[in-house]
Amino acid sequence: MPGIDKLPIEETLEDSPQTRSLLGVFEEDAAAISNYTHQLYQAMERIYNAQNELSAATHLTSKILKEYEKQRFPLGGDDEVMSSTLQQFAKVIDELSSCHAVLSTQLADAMMFPVTQFQERELKEILTLKEVFQISSNDHDAAINRYARLSKRRENEKVKLEVIEDVYTSRKKQHQTMMHYFCSLNTLQYKKKIALLEPLLGYMQAQISFFKMGSENLTEQLEEFLTNIGTSVQNVRKEMDSEIENMQQTIQDLEMAANLLYVPDPDTAKVPVNRNLTRKAGYLNTRNKTGLVSSTWDRLYYFTQGGILMSQARGHVAGGLVMDIDNCSVMAVDCEDRRYCFQISSFDGKKSVILQAESKKDYEEWITTINNISKRIYLSENPEEVAARVNQSALEAVTPSPSFQQRHESMRPPSRGKPRTSVSSISSSTGPESPVLSVPLSSMSLDSIVTPETPIQFDIISPVSEEFAGQAKLSGQPGRRTNPFGESSGTVSDSEDSILHQLFIVRFLGSIEVKSDESPDVIYETMRQILAARAIHNIFRMTESHLLVTCDSLKLIDPQTQVTRLRFPLHSVVLYATHQENKRLFGFVLHIAGGKVEGRPVSVCYVFESNNEGEKICDSVGLAKQIALHAEMDLEEQSRLIAASSRPNPSSGDGQFLVLTSSETEDGVGVDGKKKIDSEA
């Protein structure tokens, strides 16, 4: 016989839409079997009732024939031949009546009993398990919804424990009920064959016994056919018994192995996180905005297919496209007081989606999986091995070393006499807005490029310009916010009179002190170190800023408050480049003013991620430096002309010459700032 279709008991805990869809097919098949079996039962019942009626009629015929000799016919007289003949017929018919009675009994036992048992026991059991499964599934969904609404800030431990216990109990009940329901549906595929073949086999064997006096050849042919059918039925029964034993053992093993997975947020020490995945599927809560400040959360089944993210709701046959996650970015976010939220943004920044995982394990696995897919590791022949090698290489590239809280001290307003300090651990500030995380690097063979034992800064101290504001107050100048669009206001700043204003959206990845500034390899190695450290230490948060490029500086501006976080003088930017493959990554090397180590300037490499604009930013910085260079050359030429014209003019008799006032010279005014004064010599 052909193979038997089965429901996968191993996937009952995942409870994916595909499994539900397959379950629906089996339920439809069970309903069709029930309908067909009912029709067959009615037909066989008519045969059985007819056979009982035939047996009773035959017995009545034999009785009437036996009473023939007692009859007194006016014209017949005593006809002994007729009477003897009828008696013989009565005897034969009586024997036939006995055979019909035996046939009725055989039909009741071999034909009616199996189909009745199949209807009354097996099909009713399926219906009962279906109702119990539906109730447990609804209870589990309700418990999950209550758990998802738990607040991570103001939690009531008693309520939290009750909700977790409710999720555990409902999930365990649903899993166990679903496994037994699947087992019954799988068994039904065997029992339906038995329920159809066994009654027919009993009917034919009863008929053969009844017609034993019939043709031997026909009987032999039927017996050979029915023998084969009987053998097949026995084989199916043996296979069914073996499969039932295997399914029962599987249920026991899964119940023992899945005990930890009933908890909605299992301990990652007991259930480790797999960071080498290039495919993942599971239920996530997705945020849907319904107004300016209102939103709803829907629980959908998400899965990855190559470089795209798909979602599917229960009851749907196929999934729908969510977004393309090739070259996408993913980061952890805080959203509506919910835990384990992360945001996926497309490579062009035009589309993003906020999702919530059920547990910390799923949260970290989803982020690392999407990061692996974004790097297109899934296109290799063995993607999980490649991901494991990449993560292992990153692990070897990152070892504990000192913290570098002082990394941005040089970029902040000057404060003299602050010694450089270091600690040998990962540290983070307790600032409410932008935590400062530092992860140390290892001493590598690239010591000539990256300073060994130097940590990485993964976030900027916001706002960095607060000491600038303090100095402005001391000098009598009020603090102001930087206008990133170059619009004029009452006060003219050093950047507003620049002829170049270009604004870009960037996300700060990290910075590190470097030893060289002569080759783009410095920036490439810094990018590798920072990305490896982020992957190893699960640092997903990135600070978004506006990068303003002008002819005199680069500024990182808070997009909400418009406060300048960092200002990089353009003349201090000595090297800049984009990543060789991922053009969204770019970085630049900056000389720190006044800082020297071993006779060389202190250089820091900053790495950013943009919305697919890395090359544009580098082109803009190059243009700014060219404009600044030409301006400086023009200024030197003007100074030379002014110096030449300041010598006494022999052709003039008044002894006048041209000079620049001190204030105009400091302000960098050109030839328009020339003034005439009289010489007293």
Side-chain angles (χ1 to χ4, degrees):
M1 287 190 177
I4 304 297
D5 294 325
K6 294 184 293 184
L7 284 167
I9 298 179
E10 297 82 2
E11 298 180 6
T12 52
L13 182 58
E14 184 181 7
D15 190 19
S16 66
Q18 289 85 352
T19 305
R20 287 293 184 102
S21 298
L22 186 60
L23 174 61
V25 175
F26 273 72
E27 289 176 344
E28 291 179 4
D29 184 73
I33 292 172
S34 177
N35 184 41
Y36 181 81
T37 306
H38 180 68
Q39 297 177 10
L40 182 64
Y41 172 81
Q42 290 179 335
M44 290 184 172
E45 188 177 30
R46 292 183 64 182
I47 295 176
Y48 176 68
N49 293 335
Q51 182 59 43
N52 287 337
E53 184 65 21
L54 179 61
S55 177
T58 306
H59 179 70
L60 180 60
T61 302
S62 175
K63 182 180 179 181
I64 292 174
L65 290 176
K66 289 178 180 179
E67 293 177 352
Y68 179 80
E69 60 183 2
K70 298 179 181 179
Q71 297 297 321
R72 295 293 182 261
F73 297 101
L75 298 176
D78 294 334
D79 190 354
E80 295 181 356
V81 175
M82 187 62 178
S83 176
S84 174
T85 303
L86 290 180
Q87 288 296 324
Q88 188 65 31
F89 274 109
K91 182 179 180 181
V92 173
I93 293 175
D94 191 47
E95 291 177 358
L96 289 175
S97 176
S98 300
C99 291
H100 281 294
V102 174
L103 178 58
S104 296
T105 304
Q106 290 179 345
L107 291 178
D109 294 339
M111 184 179 70
M112 297 304 299
F113 180 74
V115 70
T116 304
Q117 283 291 101
F118 180 74
Q119 275 195 320
E120 297 295 328
R121 186 174 63 184
E122 308 300 338
L123 295 180
K124 285 188 176 180
E125 180 184 358
I126 295 293
L127 293 176
T128 302
L129 286 174
K130 181 179 180 180
E131 294 176 358
V132 174
F133 167 70
Q134 190 62 42
I135 293 173
S136 62
S137 179
N138 294 337
D139 293 342
H140 177 255
D141 291 342
I144 286 294
N145 289 332
R146 288 196 298 273
Y147 174 76
R149 292 194 298 268
L150 282 177
S151 173
K152 68 177 182 180
R153 294 182 179 176
R154 298 188 299 273
E155 290 185 342
N156 188 325
E157 288 297 322
K158 181 178 180 181
V159 174
K160 180 180 178 181
L161 292 176
E162 290 177 356
V163 172
I164 291 177
E165 182 65 20
D166 191 13
V167 172
Y168 174 87
T169 304
S170 61
R171 182 169 292 177
K172 182 176 182 181
K173 180 180 177 182
Q174 180 193 6
H175 185 212
Q176 294 177 347
T177 305
M178 197 172 186
M179 287 191 296
H180 290 287
Y181 186 31
F182 278 26
C183 178
S184 297
L185 288 175
N186 289 341
T187 307
L188 182 64
Q189 301 304 309
Y190 297 94
K191 290 183 177 179
K192 74 176 181 180
K193 298 179 181 295
I194 297 174
L196 296 178
L197 296 177
E198 200 169 33
L200 296 176
L201 178 63
Y203 173 77
M204 297 305 297
Q205 288 178 339
Q207 294 293 342
I208 289 176
S209 298
F210 178 74
F211 295 109
K212 196 66 176 179
M213 301 293 293
S215 173
E216 292 296 331
N217 294 332
L218 182 61
T219 302
E220 289 177 359
Q221 293 177 2
L222 286 177
E223 284 182 349
E224 183 180 357
F225 171 74
L226 295 177
T227 299
N228 294 334
I229 297 298
T231 302
S232 178
V233 169
Q234 292 301 321
N235 291 336
V236 172
R237 186 180 295 277
K238 290 180 181 179
E239 186 179 353
M240 181 192 70
D241 294 339
S242 175
E243 187 65 27
I244 289 176
E245 183 178 355
N246 292 336
M247 288 191 293
Q248 293 294 339
Q249 184 62 41
T250 301
I251 289 175
Q252 293 179 5
D253 295 341
L254 290 177
E255 285 180 347
M256 295 178 61
N259 193 43
L260 290 175
L261 300 179
Y262 294 141
V263 180
D265 192 2
D267 187 1
T268 54
K270 298 180 180 178
V271 185
V273 178
N274 188 353
R275 309 187 190 283
N276 304 328
L277 297 175
T278 55
R279 294 184 302 172
K280 187 165 178 62
Y283 281 99
L284 295 171
N285 292 328
T286 179
R287 180 172 178 260
N288 300 316
K289 295 194 68 175
T290 58
L292 294 177
V293 295
S294 60
S295 61
T296 60
W297 293 81
D298 296 328
R299 189 167 184 258
L300 299 176
Y301 186 81
Y302 282 83
F303 58 96
T304 60
Q305 282 188 353
I308 60 176
L309 180 65
M310 308 282 287
S311 67
Q312 184 175 358
R314 282 186 182 177
H316 291 189
V317 178
L321 174 66
V322 177
M323 63 187 302
D324 186 354
I325 52 178
D326 269 345
N327 293 323
C328 73
S329 61
V330 57
M331 68 179 74
V333 294
D334 292 328
C335 188
E336 298 184 6
D337 196 25
R338 287 193 174 221
R339 302 175 298 171
Y340 309 134
C341 292
F342 59 96
Q343 176 176 312
I344 307 173
S345 301
S346 61
F347 72 96
D348 56 3
K350 294 181 179 180
K351 185 175 183 180
S352 63
V353 60
I354 296 178
L355 303 172
Q356 180 192 21
E358 183 178 296
S359 63
K360 182 178 180 182
K361 175 180 178 293
D362 282 344
Y363 166 78
E364 294 186 4
E365 284 187 350
W366 271 106
I367 293 180
T368 54
T369 300
I370 293 174
N371 271 327
N372 291 337
I373 294 175
S374 178
K375 299 172 185 175
R376 298 191 175 184
I377 295 177
Y378 67 92
L379 296 176
S380 57
E381 293 183 359
N382 298 313
E384 292 194 3
E385 293 182 6
V386 174
R389 284 200 305 270
V390 170
N391 290 333
Q392 182 63 29
S393 300
L395 181 62
E396 293 173 355
V398 181
T399 56
S401 86
S403 166
F404 76 59
Q405 177 71 20
Q406 71 275 15
R407 177 66 58 234
H408 268 296
E409 293 299 327
S410 58
M411 295 306 303
R412 300 181 65 174
S415 57
R416 307 297 182 187
K418 287 188 179 179
R420 297 176 62 138
T421 60
S422 64
V423 293
S424 58
S425 63
I426 301 173
S427 64
S428 63
S429 72
T430 58
E433 294 184 5
S434 299
V436 177
L437 302 177
S438 61
V439 177
L441 293 174
S442 62
S443 295
M444 304 174 60
S445 60
L446 296 168
D447 289 347
S448 60
I449 295 179
V450 179
T451 303
E453 300 298 327
T454 300
I456 304 171
Q457 179 163 329
F458 289 114
D459 214 336
I460 56 179
I461 305 171
S462 178
V464 173
S465 58
E466 55 191 9
E467 290 189 11
F468 282 116
Q471 291 184 357
K473 290 180 181 179
L474 292 175
S475 61
Q477 298 177 355
R480 67 182 302 275
R481 296 184 178 181
T482 302
N483 190 337
F485 302 102
E487 297 174 354
S488 61
S489 61
T491 305
V492 178
S493 66
D494 58 348
S495 65
E496 288 179 346
D497 56 1
S498 172
I499 64 174
L500 177 66
H501 284 82
Q502 288 191 336
L503 191 69
F504 303 94
I505 298 176
V506 298
R507 289 172 290 278
F508 180 69
L509 294 178
S511 61
I512 183 173
E513 183 177 324
V514 295
K515 298 175 65 175
S516 173
D517 55 13
E518 299 177 354
S519 170
D521 292 337
V522 178
I523 298 177
Y524 302 152
E525 175 61 21
T526 303
M527 290 178 178
R528 190 193 71 80
Q529 293 274 13
I530 290 174
L531 293 177
R534 277 182 170 271
I536 292 303
H537 296 280
N538 300 325
I539 302 174
F540 307 116
R541 190 181 303 278
M542 295 182 287
T543 301
E544 186 170 281
S545 303
H546 289 166
L547 177 65
L548 180 63
V549 180
T550 65
C551 294
D552 60 348
S553 66
L554 307 180
K555 291 184 179 181
L556 285 181
I557 302 172
D558 190 312
Q560 301 295 329
T561 63
Q562 301 301 316
V563 172
T564 300
R565 289 172 169 166
L566 285 178
R567 181 182 181 277
F568 307 103
L570 190 62
H571 62 82
S572 298
V573 179
V574 296
L575 186 65
Y576 49 90
T578 59
H579 194 274
Q580 294 166 306
E581 297 178 358
N582 188 354
K583 299 303 181 181
R584 294 186 296 122
L585 300 180
F586 75 96
F588 57 82
V589 178
L590 186 79
H591 280 177
I592 304 302
K596 284 195 175 183
V597 177
E598 299 177 358
R600 60 175 175 82
V602 177
S603 301
V604 178
C605 183
Y606 291 83
V607 178
F608 297 85
E609 179 188 45
S610 66
N611 294 337
N612 206 22
E613 295 180 341
E615 292 182 342
K616 294 181 180 180
I617 296 176
C618 289
D619 292 342
S620 179
V621 175
L623 178 61
K625 293 185 74 67
Q626 289 181 6
I627 295 174
L629 177 61
H630 286 296
E632 183 177 358
M633 294 173 62
D634 291 343
L635 183 60
E636 291 178 357
E637 179 67 19
Q638 293 168 6
S639 299
R640 186 183 64 80
L641 294 175
I642 294 172
S645 63
S646 63
R647 293 192 296 271
N649 189 351
S651 62
S652 62
D654 55 359
Q656 295 176 339
F657 58 89
L658 299 173
V659 297
L660 289 175
T661 62
S662 60
S663 61
E664 290 165 338
T665 304
E666 291 175 356
D667 291 340
V669 181
V671 293
D672 293 336
K674 292 185 295 181
K675 288 187 178 181
K676 276 188 178 182
I677 61 173
D678 294 333
S679 172
E680 297 178 357

